[in-house]
Amino acid sequence: MKSPHVSVFIFATITALLAPALQAGMKVVATTPDLGAIATAIGGDLAHVDSLAKPTEDTHFVDPKPSYVVKLAHADMLIEGGAELEIGWLPPLLEGARNVKLEAGRPGRVACAEGLPLLEVPAALDRAQGDIHAMGNPHFMVDPENGRHAAQRICAALCELDPGHRAAYEERYQSFTNRLDQRLVVWRQTLAPFTGRRVVSFHNAWPYFARSFGLTIDLFLEPKPGIPPTPAHLEEVINRMKAERIGVILVEPFQNRKTAETVAGRTGAALVDFTQYPGGVKGAGPGYIELLDYLVDTLAKALRDGQNGAPQP
Ligand SMILES: [Zn+2]
């Protein structure tokens, strides 16, 4: 005999499975929360947006839950970075979802990297030694100009799939980019005093951000993207940080904080909580523009403090 708990569980499960099919408006799935936040800004009340990866998760290695297959099966549109960030986990989910609307080349499949020149594209494709940036650096969304590019692609896809609401989507796109333009002026001013400064990060996720704001972020605690730090490599990083008086280390929520703390302790550098995603750390959200607000302000503060109390070589 079934217990009431089991019946409630079955009912809840069926409801959860049906829920995506019953939602009104465009059903949009974004692989990561930054793309989801922009889709929400453009789609407004005309779109129901789900982001698969959690903002605190390493988006190279997302835990593929069965509920993601259900979301993809019911979606009208899938927004992805499309520069191999999702290559390890999205294809099997799509295979399970069997949703023709999301097939590559369809208007429901939006790859935001399309039309963007990626940085660090290797001369020859080489996945040897576990390099997970084999096709170029996929962390392009933290450059506001690339955020604008993503918004433009998302708006175009929504207009194509839901032409009756074209005016509403285009109006929201315009107001998003107007806000982005205004903030970009402020962000550039805030970081202008630090042009040319070098910053260390755990993973090579910030070359687009660095280029956008005139910084250099080219020294990493990981010896190669996706390869955990080794003692020998860390020793080399510590020596370079001391020699070049680098005073800031960027660390994201899913990275090994203890390792970063050790390096900070040995060099006198400040540890700065960074994230590529709205909601990834406290104060970084809820939208894409608020994420950039947080990144710029937090980094500027750390660089300013570092100037006052320069790290001991
Ligand atoms: Zn990466």
Side-chain angles (χ1 to χ4, degrees):
M1 212 179 90
K2 278 181 196 165
S3 79
H5 290 303
V6 171
S7 307
V8 167
F9 175 75
I10 291 170
F11 177 74
T13 307
I14 290 169
T15 310
L17 288 171
L18 287 176
L22 299 174
Q23 281 148 4
M26 293 291 291
K27 289 181 281 292
V28 178
V29 173
T31 53
T32 55
D34 47 349
L35 303 173
I38 293 178
T40 300
I42 313 290
D45 55 354
L46 297 169
H48 177 89
V49 181
D50 266 312
S51 301
L52 299 182
K54 292 190 205 75
T56 50
E57 204 168 11
D58 184 345
T59 46
H60 281 292
F61 305 103
V62 169
D63 182 20
K65 296 187 178 136
S67 63
Y68 296 173
V69 176
V70 179
K71 283 175 180 163
L72 288 165
H74 293 287
D76 299 306
M77 186 190 294
L78 168 63
I79 306 167
E80 62 176 330
E84 290 204 349
L85 182 72
E86 301 98 337
I87 198 169
W89 53 275
L90 185 60
L93 291 173
L94 282 170
E95 221 162 276
R98 296 173 173 274
N99 183 345
V100 287
K101 291 186 200 168
L102 310 184
E103 280 171 7
R106 299 258 183 170
R109 182 74 172 267
V110 184
C112 293
E114 243 166 60
L116 279 183
L118 292 185
L119 294 176
E120 302 165 4
V121 177
L125 195 68
D126 180 16
R127 296 179 207 280
Q129 297 170 293
D131 189 337
I132 51 174
H133 292 176
M135 144 186 194
N137 194 300
H139 303 281
F140 59 86
M141 279 297 294
V142 283
D143 176 341
E145 292 298 348
N146 294 346
R148 183 204 313 277
H149 175 86
Q152 191 271 324
R153 292 194 69 86
I154 291 165
C155 179
L158 284 168
C159 289
E160 186 173 352
L161 290 171
D162 184 21
H165 293 111
R166 172 179 284 273
Y169 295 130
E170 286 180 343
E171 196 184 311
R172 289 200 197 93
Y173 168 74
Q174 214 35 262
S175 98
F176 174 81
T177 51
N178 288 347
R179 262 186 79 212
L180 191 69
D181 286 338
Q182 287 165 8
R183 295 306 298 160
L184 192 49
V185 174
V186 178
W187 297 332
R188 294 224 157 105
Q189 277 170 357
T190 306
L191 287 173
F194 311 108
T195 299
R197 287 282 286 273
R198 184 162 260 144
V199 170
V200 166
S201 68
F202 198 104
H203 178 76
N204 181 7
W206 305 97
Y208 299 89
F209 180 85
R211 179 186 61 177
S212 184
F213 296 109
L215 304 162
T216 303
I217 309 178
D218 62 352
L219 187 58
F220 318 107
L221 303 191
E222 287 180 344
K224 256 178 183 284
I227 307 296
T230 60
H233 176 72
L234 289 178
E235 219 40 58
E236 200 183 307
V237 171
I238 288 167
N239 289 338
R240 274 193 63 189
M241 287 182 71
K242 285 178 177 171
E244 296 173 37
R245 299 176 71 88
I246 302 172
V248 172
I249 302 171
L250 309 177
V251 63
E252 294 181 72
F254 52 88
Q255 291 161 348
N256 190 328
R257 200 179 172 86
K258 257 213 147 81
T259 302
E261 275 169 356
T262 304
V263 177
R266 294 265 312 273
T267 56
L271 214 53
V272 174
D273 288 302
F274 245 42
T275 177
Q276 299 167 59
Y277 304 107
V281 302
K282 200 167 167 268
Y288 176 79
I289 290 174
E290 291 83 2
L291 166 72
L292 266 299
D293 272 333
Y294 169 88
L295 296 178
V296 169
D297 289 346
T298 313
L299 182 56
K301 184 182 181 306
L303 289 167
R304 235 183 340 258
D305 291 351
Q307 270 174 343
N308 298 333
Q312 297 304 308

